[in-house]
Amino acid sequence: MRRSMAALAALTLLSLAGCATDDPVAGPDGTASAGAGSGTGEQSKFFVQADYDNELALLDATPTGPADRPWEQVLEPAMVDTATFRKAGPYKICFSNAALNNPWRQVGFKTMQAEVEAQQSKIKEFVHVDAEGRDQKQIADINDLLGRGCDALIVSPNTTATLTPAVEAACATGLPVIVFDRGVNTACPVTFINPIGGYGFGHVGAEFVSQRMKPGGKVLALRILPGVDVLETRWSAAKVAFDKAKVDVVGVEFTDGDPAKTKKIVDDYIQRYGTIDGVWMDAGAVAVAAVEAFQDAGQPVPPINGEDQLDFLKLWKEKNLTAIAPTYPTYQWRTPIIAALRILDGQQVSDPWKLPQPTIDQENLDSYLDPTMPPLHYAMCGCTDLPGYPQRWK
Amino acid sequence: MSTQIGARRPLPTRLPRLRPGGLLPIVAILAVLLVLVALRQPDFLAPPSLMSFLGRSAPIILLAAGQYFVIVSGEFDLSIGSLVTAQVVVAARLIDSDPSRTWPVVLLLLAFGAVVGLVNGLITTRLRVPSFITTLGMFLILVGAVYLWSDGAPKGGLSEDFRRFGRRAFEDVPVLGRVPYALLVLLVLATLAVVLMRADFGRTLIAVGDNPRTAELSGVRVWRTRTIAFILSGLAAAVAAILLGGYSGVSFQAGAGLEFGAITAVVLGGVVLGGGRGSVVGAMLGALTLELLFALMNFYGVSGALRSTVQGAIILLAVAVSATRQSSRQGER
C-alpha cells in the first residue's frame, strides 16, 4: 500500500512539475537561446533588416496629427480606403485580448475601457474576451466572436504565428479587423496599430547601456519569453547594437516577466561573475527587481534600461541611477477604438498605423514621475483626459 | 501511551545512523558539495556571501520543515507553492504600500496559512480524500482564486516594513559581516520544530506515519495529529511567503514550483515518502543541500532550466531507494 502510494505520489509530483511553472506564457524555463558566455548567438528568425532600418529611421521622424494626443498621431502615414466598411452606428465593437496578465496590459485595458466610455454615444456595446495568455483559447475566442454580430473586431494576439490563421479567418468573414500591440503574419486586417516597435525599443536601451559602460564589459540581457514578435525584435535590435559595441554578453535569460525569478537570475550572475557592467531588458516591468539584486549584493547598480513604469522611475530618481526608459506606450490601447469608429464611419486610416514611441531619459524624467499614482502604473498611459482618471487606474 | 510507541523504534533525531531516516547520508552529501563549492568559488564561503546565501535559503528550508510534518505523518502537501503565491498577492493588495497595515496583514497571512492547512487536513482525514488529491485540489483552487481576484496581474505594493524581513539584515556584525533577518527567523522556527519533534507530539506524529492502524488502536487520534501537521505546513508557507515577498517584491510566481523544492528537499534529507521515518533536521538539511547544489550548478554555468530535472531525478531516486529498502525489510519480518 505504502509503495503504491509513494509511486502514485511521485507520478503526481512529476506531472505537476509541468504545471507548477505553468504561466500564461509558456516559455523555456531558463536560458537556452545562448549559453552563458557564448555571446549573443544567432540572430532571431524574426529579424528583418529592412524593418530594422525603417524603425530606426522612424525614431527621428516627425509624426502627423495632434501633438497633445500622441495616440492619434501617425508616423509616415499610408492611408487605406475603408468605404466598404461604412455602416450606421451605434456599433457593437468586439475585442479579443491576449491576456490581462501583467500590469502593462492592465493599465492598457483600463485606458481602452475609458476610451469606450468617452465614445459611448457611438458604441452601443463593447465585448471583451480575455484569452488568459493561451493561444488555443484565443483562437476559440475569435471564432466565437465571429458569430456574435460584432461590427468590428479588435485583436491583440497572444503569439504571432499561431494566431495568424484565426485572424485570417476573421478577415474572410468581411468584418473590419484591427490588430494592435503584437502583430500577425498577414496583411488582411484593415490596419495594424502599434508604436514604432521592438527594434526601436531594443536599440535605444542597448545603445545606452553599451555606451555608458566600460568597453568589453559584461552585459546581462533579460528577456520575458521567446516567440512574440515585439519581444523578439527588441532583442534582435539589441543584439546588433551589442555586437557592434563589442561588449561581452554573458547571459541571455528568460524571466517570464516575474520579479522573483528576475532577482534570482541577476543574483546568480552577480555571484558567478563577481560584477556585471550592464543590464539590458526587453521589458522594464522587472527592472526594479534587477536593481534590487545589485543593491542587496552591496554592489553599484550598472547602467540599465527600464520602462515607463512608475516604480522604476521613482527608484531611478531616488537612487540617481544611470538609466533610460524606452517606452511601449500604453496609450496605444486608445487607438484601436478610435480606428474602429473611423473605419465604420468610412474614413481613411493609416495601415500600418505607427504611433510615436517617446523615450524617458535623465532630462525629462521629472515630467513623467507622478508620486500620486500606484507603483505599477505606466506613465505613458495618455489617460489623464479620460473619464474616471485617476481612480480607475488606482 | 505515545511515548511507548515512540520507544518501539529509536527516534531518528537521536543519532545519525546509516538507515532510512538517518542524518549521515545528507551530512555527507552536504560536505561533498561544500568542498566542490570551495574549489570552484572560494569567495562563496566567506561570511558575508554565506550569510546572504543562508538568508535566501531560509524560505525553502522552512517550507521543507513544514512539508516534513505532513510527509512523516504519511501524507503530502502539494498546495504550499500556490499558497505562497496567494499570500504574496494578497499581502500586496491589502498593504497597498501603506506601512501601517504591515502587522495586521502579517497576522492575517499566518491565519490564512493555518486555515488552508486546517481545511487540507480535515478534508484528508475526515472526508478520507487522499492527500495528494486534496492538496492538488487546493493548489488549483488557490491558483484560480488568485487569478480571479487579481485579474491575472498583481496589484498594490508591499511596504518597506513588510519587505524588511526578507530583504534586510543586521549590518556590521563582527566576524559574520551581516546577519539577514530571514536567517534569524529561520533559526528560531527551526529550533521550535526540533523541540516539537522531541516532544510527545513528534513521537505521536511519527507513530501515525509509521503505522496509522497501530497508532489508532493505541489510542492516538490519528486525524487530529495529521490535521495539525497540515496546519504546521500552512503556517510554514505563510512565513515563507512573508520572507519571499520581502525578498523579491510583488510577484505572480513567488511560489511557483516550491512544493517540489520542498518535497525534493525532504526526501533528499532521508525522510521516507509514505511516512514514519526521518527527522525534521534531515529535511531542513536536505533543503540546504538542494540550494547549495543549485548554487554549484550556477557556478559551473549549468542552465537554470535543469533545476526541475535535477529535482525530478532526486524524487525518483529517493522513492526507488526507499521502496527497495521497504520491500527487503518486509521480507525480514
Side-chain angles (χ1 to χ4, degrees), chain A residues 63-71 73:
Chain A
T64 58
D68 59 336
R69 302 174 67 81
W71 50 92
Q73 289 188 317

Side-chain angles (χ1 to χ4, degrees), chain A residues 222-236:
Chain A
L222 297 175
R223 306 181 54 192
I224 303 182
L225 71 157
V228 177
D229 62 354
V230 294
L231 302 177
E232 288 286 343
T233 50
R234 284 178 188 184
W235 166 236
S236 58

Side-chain angles (χ1 to χ4, degrees), chain A residues 108-158:
Chain A
F109 182 58
K110 282 178 191 155
T111 305
M112 182 184 257
Q113 285 173 306
E115 179 68 35
V116 169
E117 215 174 292
Q119 307 265 15
Q120 56 183 282
S121 60
K122 297 175 197 158
I123 298 171
K124 65 169 184 241
E125 200 182 345
F126 176 64
V127 181
H128 167 246
V129 195
D130 176 6
E132 294 164 12
R134 299 202 302 267
D135 285 343
Q136 292 311 317
K137 181 168 187 318
Q138 191 167 25
I139 291 168
D141 288 348
I142 292 175
N143 196 32
D144 181 42
L145 285 174
L146 294 181
R148 286 173 62 178
C150 307
D151 294 314
L153 176 67
I154 298 169
V155 181
S156 173
N158 189 47

Side-chain angles (χ1 to χ4, degrees), chain A residues 2 258-259 263 271-272 292, chain B residues 56 163 210 247 251 298:
Chain A
R2 184 179 285 167
D258 179 73
K263 192 162 180 183
Q271 284 194 25
R272 198 195 299 173
E292 280 182 4
Chain B
R56 264 187 301 135
R163 296 202 58 188
D210 188 36
Y247 171 68
S251 156
N298 172 44

